[in-house]
Amino acid sequence: MKYQVVKDKAKRALVKKQEIRRLKCRYIIRSTKLSMSRRWHHCIKLSKLSRNGSKVRVKNRCIITGRAHSVHRQFKISRIALRELASMGLINGVMKSSW
């Protein structure tokens, strides 16, 4: 499990590093004012960038357990860890309801 967390962190770092290059290439490719050869050149340049540098390859994971499914966006932890921490009273403003 820790291997997956480390791998995901590496992908996030690569996304951050390549983000500006990707945006620049996409902008040039979509621009209709530029010549077709220049747009084609940037299309090839974009395809040569690492696939793991794309935003869609990043997976949200729980920062406590590393679980990939049902991760709460606001807290960045899985539903299981959220329930445990909420019932212990360790998350401010969150209470496990009981009636």
Side-chain angles (χ1 to χ4, degrees), residues 19-94:
E19 184 177 17
I20 295 171
R21 276 187 254 168
R22 283 183 180 280
L23 288 173
K24 186 179 115 179
C25 284
R26 279 199 207 114
Y27 177 77
I28 290 172
I29 290 167
R30 290 179 184 151
S31 175
T32 56
K33 294 177 183 177
L34 297 173
S35 67
M36 194 63 176
S37 62
R38 186 166 181 181
R39 290 166 59 192
W40 181 252
H41 172 71
H42 280 279
C43 188
I44 293 170
K45 199 173 179 181
L46 181 66
S47 68
K48 287 185 179 178
L49 289 175
S50 174
R51 284 184 180 179
N52 284 338
S54 178
K55 280 185 195 177
V56 296
R57 300 280 281 224
V58 175
K59 184 88 171 152
N60 286 336
R61 292 195 172 271
C62 175
I63 58 174
I64 297 170
T65 61
R67 182 179 164 89
H69 295 287
S70 66
V71 176
H72 198 281
R73 285 185 191 165
Q74 186 177 359
F75 301 111
K76 295 182 182 169
I77 55 177
S78 66
R79 62 179 174 84
I80 299 164
L82 179 68
R83 185 173 186 263
E84 288 174 7
L85 293 175
S87 46
M88 286 189 274
L90 298 175
I91 301 176
N92 293 335
V94 178

